[in-house]
Amino acid sequence: MKYSKQPLDYSEILDLLESRGLIIRDRNKAIECLKVVSYFRLDNYFHPMESDKVQHIFKPGSTFDNAMDLYRFDCDLRELIFTAIQAVEIALRSKMIHHISLQYGAFWFTDVSLFRDANIHHKCMEQIRQELKRTREEFIIEHSAKYSEPEFPPVWKTLEVTSFGTLSKLSCNFADNKIKKRIAREFNLPQHLVLESWIKSAVVLRNYLAHHSRVWNRKFPIKPQMTTPLRGNWVIPPVGNYDKLYSQLCYLQYLLNVIRPCNNFSFRLKVLLTEHLNVDTSAMGFPGNWLDEPLWR
């Protein structure tokens, strides 16, 4: 079928939404919103209010203001999550640099014999080369001006400019499980497979954040490991759909409790939810008794 839809002006978009049953109390305010948030992006926040997902007919009482409130909630939620992932990413870099370098030297990341899959390692090295070329960090520029060998700066410089995705692949592909378990224990985890599961999930989640994509009710392609008993305050499985955001928030809170024991992630999340009471937490995978879980008390 050939695509035939044509662009609409702001007033025409509002006319279309009203014809489908959406209540728009202030058209001028709605137009100002559309000027800074495109209709197609905002459309994701209309869907929960639709009774007919094919014809896009709205449920009685659905309002434009509700969609904007949901959009703002998602924006604030992404900012909160990004701060948490940033802390986890930096901590993982630090622990990998410290533990693996003491055992295998300053350039361990270049040694293919230390990794399980040579093809994955090759792709990581190509990505690192590109990241080193792009970076404008002074410590990399100064290093390159002073040293000609070896090809790469030492790991404590190089890993500081590699992406979270590349860092995750290096970590998961690394062959020495004893060191990986040592790193996992520093995150208060019993074994490295749980940490790898969480880091892979966090990389995907961060990619959505980087593209300003909706996260509040999204289904994620990678499910974090949630059923392994943990030493710290955790949740009692099962917690519902592991492909929903709630699982992501759980492992982030757990890791933050180790990295930053006095973090306010839980407090800020609870405040955010109380400020947006129209948000359906069940669509995010929250169980009804989530506040009773040891992790969130």
Side-chain angles (χ1 to χ4, degrees):
M1 182 170 63
K2 185 178 179 179
Y3 190 85
S4 60
K5 294 182 180 179
Q6 297 299 312
L8 300 176
D9 194 7
Y10 300 127
S11 293
E12 293 174 316
I13 292 173
L14 297 184
D15 290 341
L16 177 63
L17 291 172
E18 285 184 320
S19 72
R20 294 172 175 174
L22 186 68
I23 299 171
I24 303 173
R25 296 191 174 96
D26 189 332
R27 287 179 66 93
N28 290 332
K29 181 181 177 182
I31 287 175
E32 291 304 313
C33 291
L34 291 175
K35 286 180 179 180
V36 293
V37 184
S38 72
Y39 167 71
F40 192 75
R41 175 176 293 275
L42 195 57
D43 186 53
N44 286 311
Y45 304 93
F46 289 129
H47 288 325
M49 297 187 293
E50 292 176 347
S51 59
D52 186 331
K53 305 296 184 182
V54 177
Q55 300 298 323
H56 304 293
I57 304 302
F58 290 97
K59 302 172 185 175
S62 299
T63 69
F64 187 92
D65 289 340
N66 282 344
M68 284 305 303
D69 183 72
L70 189 55
Y71 170 77
R72 294 188 183 101
F73 165 77
D74 199 37
C75 289
D76 292 342
L77 182 63
R78 291 199 303 270
E79 290 181 6
L80 175 62
I81 295 171
F82 183 82
T83 301
I85 292 180
Q86 182 183 49
V88 170
E89 178 183 349
I90 291 172
L92 178 65
R93 289 180 195 276
S94 177
K95 296 180 188 302
M96 287 177 62
I97 290 170
H98 178 77
H99 289 288
I100 304 178
S101 299
L102 288 179
Q103 181 71 32
Y104 294 104
F107 301 95
W108 58 264
F109 64 99
T110 67
D111 187 351
V112 67
S113 68
L114 297 178
F115 295 86
R116 300 181 188 278
D117 190 313
N119 185 51
I120 292 176
H121 178 262
H122 173 73
K123 291 179 179 178
C124 284
M125 296 309 298
E126 286 300 312
Q127 186 64 36
I128 289 173
R129 286 188 181 92
Q130 294 301 315
E131 290 165 345
L132 286 170
K133 287 180 181 178
R134 287 195 300 265
T135 185
R136 303 310 302 166
E137 288 288 353
E138 291 183 2
F139 62 87
I140 295 294
I141 295 173
E142 291 172 357
H143 181 95
S144 299
K146 186 175 183 179
Y147 302 100
S148 58
E149 295 181 7
E151 177 186 0
F152 299 95
V155 67
W156 46 84
K157 294 183 179 181
T158 297
L159 283 199
E160 288 298 332
V161 298
T162 59
S163 69
F164 193 19
T166 302
L167 186 75
S168 170
K169 291 174 184 176
L170 286 174
S171 175
C172 295
N173 193 33
F174 195 69
D176 190 336
N177 285 340
K178 288 184 179 180
I179 289 183
K180 291 165 75 170
K181 289 178 181 177
R182 195 178 306 156
I183 293 172
R185 291 192 188 102
E186 289 205 2
F187 285 105
N188 203 22
L189 296 172
Q191 38 97 346
H192 66 282
L193 294 178
V194 175
L195 179 60
E196 288 183 5
S197 167
W198 290 5
I199 295 303
K200 288 178 182 178
S201 298
V203 168
V204 174
L205 177 56
R206 190 194 181 284
N207 287 341
Y208 284 119
L209 301 179
H211 292 90
H212 318 294
S213 300
R214 169 184 51 84
V215 296
W216 79 281
N217 66 342
R218 182 180 292 277
K219 286 188 176 182
F220 295 90
I222 298 181
K223 300 177 183 179
Q225 172 59 257
M226 297 288 292
T227 57
T228 301
L230 303 180
R231 299 185 184 95
N233 290 333
W234 188 227
V235 293
I236 301 173
V239 298
N241 299 324
Y242 295 130
D243 59 353
K244 289 290 195 173
L245 184 64
Y246 178 70
S247 296
Q248 311 272 345
L249 298 175
C250 286
Y251 72 70
L252 287 175
Q253 178 65 77
Y254 187 90
L255 293 174
L256 282 175
N257 286 344
V258 178
I259 300 166
R260 298 177 179 176
C262 296
N263 73 86
N264 62 354
F265 183 80
S266 176
F267 172 78
R268 291 177 62 192
L269 175 62
K270 294 171 185 176
V271 169
L272 187 59
L273 289 171
T274 57
E275 290 175 343
H276 300 270
L277 296 176
N278 65 317
V279 173
D280 180 9
T281 54
S282 64
M284 304 166 66
F286 280 68
N289 65 335
W290 73 280
L291 288 172
D292 297 326
E293 295 281 9
L295 178 67
W296 301 109
R297 288 176 189 164

